[in-house]
């Protein structure tokens, strides 16, 4: 135990030195190499620098790590990267590129396509190792933090029905999610795990529920063992779906103790304030199990709040773009604005996930 503790202290101390050195570079126009021990100066040139957005996060994580002997800032994907990844192949980006003469294209490109958003992975993704590896590799190449959503549980969307499907069996899912985690490997990433998964229990048998929480718990374990620099957030529905005490119990059953935290409002419209209130209640309720967890909020379409409908309601608006803090640990665009929720509402005649430029355009302005 002592050698491991010494190593953790040493690496965390190095991380702090490097953070301060780079911070001095960025703020004063010169490096502080001479302030570091000679033995560490080479590491400064070789190490991926933390950028200003990650300095505070890195310090907050590194110092407790020194005291507790836990993994230091190198396990934090935020401090390893220089901002969130903007996917050049998102559906709004592809549409804007293919329709440059359309009067809506400039607004969709600027207000949606050029914002950091998550990419969703499921049974449509083909070879999951290749798909995830390519996406995470592209983000890593430009020193950005990719956002991923894993959506492939058997019997997914049991209550809504518009996005049904998923892996063909428990064993198939276990294999799929293991490949997903392995494809990320040591590269930094944020993964939101299985939207709707813990809110759908009223539409499932007890045997199905047991299978589901087992798959989620094992999935968290896969990321923990195969993707050490990934933060995983288990989906926890929204403020008006399941009460906080019940959701905390379900999260605990699903293994959130071993995840970074939980995710709220995925593909929904509730305000950031409503989600913050609910998230705090869930985090507090987890304390009866001996721990608490941070949470992230999907703000992609919550600018006007919810009108009580979840499937392509009209009059909605884009929310705060992806950022650190702001209510949850992060505010994230997890659903792509303009992608349909299914054959319903203002998306009548569309399929779930289909990009609808008119819906996207109106969502920019909130009408």
């Amino acid at each position: 135990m002592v050698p491991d503790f010494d190593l953790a202290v040493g690496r965390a101390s190095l991380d702090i030195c490097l953070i301060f050195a780079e911070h001095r570079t960025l703020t004063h126009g010169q490096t502080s190499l001479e302030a570091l021990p000679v033995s560490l100066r080479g590491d400064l040139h070789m190490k991926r620098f933390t950028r200003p957005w990650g300095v505070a996060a890195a310090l907050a994580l590194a110092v407790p790590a020194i005291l507790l002997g836990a993994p230091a800032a190198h396990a934090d994907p935020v401090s390893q990267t220089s901002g969130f990844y903007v996917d050049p192949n998102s559906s709004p980006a592809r549409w804007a590129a293919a329709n440059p003469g359309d009067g809506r294209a400039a607004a969709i490109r600027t207000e949606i396509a050029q914002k950091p958003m998550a990419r969703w992975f499921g049974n449509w993704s083909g070879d999951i190792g290749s798909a995830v590896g390519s996406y995470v590799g592209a983000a890593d190449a430009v020193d950005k933090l990719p956002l991923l959503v894993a959506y492939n549980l058997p019997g997914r969307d049991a209550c809504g029905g518009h996005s049904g499907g998923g892996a063909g069996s428990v064993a198939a899912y276990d294999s799929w999610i293991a490949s997903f985690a392995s494809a990320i490997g040591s590269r930094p990433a944020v993964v939101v795990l299985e939207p709707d998964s813990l809110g759908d229990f009223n539409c499932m048998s007890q045997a199905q529920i047991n299978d589901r929480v087992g798959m989620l718990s094992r999935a968290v374990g896969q990321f923990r063992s195969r993707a050490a620099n990934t933060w995983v957030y288990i989906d926890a529905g929204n403020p008006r779906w399941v009460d906080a005490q019940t959701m905390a119990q379900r999260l605990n059953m699903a293994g959130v103790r071993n995840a970074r935290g939980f995710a709220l409002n995925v593909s929904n419209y509730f305000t950031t304030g409503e989600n913050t209130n609910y998230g705090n209640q869930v985090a507090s309720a987890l304390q009866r199990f001996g721990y608490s967890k941070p949470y992230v909020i999907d703000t992609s379409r919550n600018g006007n709040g919810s009108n009580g409908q979840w499937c392509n309601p009209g009059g909605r608006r884009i929310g705060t773009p992806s950022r650190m803090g702001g209510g949850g640990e992060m505010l994230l665009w997890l659903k792509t604005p303009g992608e349909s929720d299914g054959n319903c509402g203002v998306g009548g005649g569309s399929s779930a996930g289909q990009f609808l430029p008119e819906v996207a355009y109106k969502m920019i302005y909130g009408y």
Side-chain angles (χ1 to χ4, degrees):
M1 292 298 293
V2 173
D4 290 342
F5 176 79
D6 290 343
L7 178 60
V9 171
R11 295 309 304 170
S13 300
L14 172 58
D15 285 339
I16 293 173
C17 290
L18 297 182
I19 289 165
F20 277 117
E22 186 188 14
H23 184 59
R24 182 177 177 87
T25 300
L26 293 169
T27 56
H28 299 286
Q30 61 182 3
T31 64
S32 300
L33 282 175
E34 60 274 11
L36 295 175
V38 173
S39 62
L40 299 184
R41 294 177 190 175
D43 279 4
L44 181 58
H45 292 293
M46 298 172 65
K47 185 178 177 70
R48 172 181 292 167
F49 291 154
T50 47
R51 301 313 199 267
W53 85 306
V55 169
L59 288 171
L61 288 169
V63 174
I66 295 172
L67 299 176
L68 299 176
H74 66 275
D76 164 26
V78 173
S79 66
Q80 294 184 44
T81 49
S82 60
F84 295 112
Y85 180 57
V86 176
D87 183 1
N89 295 309
S90 67
S91 56
R94 294 196 308 270
W95 182 87
N99 297 275
D102 191 295
R104 302 165 295 184
I108 289 174
R109 181 184 306 109
T110 301
E111 300 300 324
I112 298 178
Q114 293 178 354
K115 307 297 185 185
M117 295 176 286
R119 181 181 288 190
W120 290 50
F121 295 85
N123 52 348
W124 60 85
S125 300
D127 181 85
I128 192 60
S130 177
V132 169
S134 175
Y135 181 67
V136 174
D140 191 54
V142 293
D143 196 30
K144 298 297 183 182
L145 180 60
L147 308 174
L148 302 87
V149 177
Y151 193 51
N152 200 34
L153 278 174
R156 67 176 184 230
D157 198 19
C159 292
H162 290 284
S163 300
S169 66
V170 170
Y173 181 78
D174 286 346
S175 175
W176 183 87
I177 204 68
S179 296
F180 191 122
S182 293
I184 296 175
S186 63
R187 294 173 293 196
V190 167
V191 173
V192 170
L193 191 60
E194 300 299 339
D196 307 327
S197 57
L198 297 181
D200 274 347
F201 283 14
N202 289 344
C203 303
M204 302 167 62
S205 69
Q206 188 59 53
Q208 290 172 323
I209 291 170
N210 294 343
D211 282 345
R212 178 162 291 190
V213 296
M215 285 184 284
L216 290 170
S217 183
R218 291 191 296 276
V220 170
Q222 292 289 358
F223 286 102
R224 191 176 178 87
S225 63
R226 297 171 184 258
N229 296 314
T230 293
W231 278 355
V232 175
Y233 299 86
I234 302 176
D235 185 80
N238 63 66
R240 300 187 200 171
W241 196 352
V242 177
D243 69 87
Q245 291 289 335
T246 300
M247 182 52 71
Q249 182 179 23
R250 294 178 183 181
L251 282 166
N252 185 63
M253 291 167 58
V256 77
R257 181 188 295 270
N258 294 317
R260 174 66 183 181
F262 56 95
L264 301 175
N265 204 48
V266 177
S267 298
N268 220 301
Y269 302 87
F270 297 102
T271 65
T272 301
E274 288 177 282
N275 279 285
T276 300
N277 182 55
Y278 179 67
N280 290 341
Q281 291 178 38
V282 173
S284 178
L286 283 171
Q287 292 177 0
R288 64 184 163 127
F289 302 107
Y291 62 93
S292 189
K293 290 290 177 176
Y295 56 89
V296 298
I297 301 169
D298 184 356
T299 55
S300 58
R301 306 185 298 177
N302 75 345
N304 280 350
S306 172
N307 66 354
Q309 303 296 314
W310 66 267
C311 198
N312 294 324
R316 301 308 94 199
R317 190 169 191 161
I318 57 176
T320 302
S322 298
R323 55 160 289 183
M324 296 298 298
E329 181 168 51
M330 291 181 268
L331 306 182
L332 302 174
W333 279 20
L334 297 173
K335 174 74 172 182
T336 300
E339 284 192 350
S340 175
D341 295 316
N343 181 14
C344 51
V346 296
S350 67
S351 57
Q354 179 181 343
F355 183 71
L356 306 174
E358 185 65 10
V359 171
Y361 184 74
K362 289 182 176 179
M363 198 170 284
I364 292 170
Y365 302 103
Y367 61 83

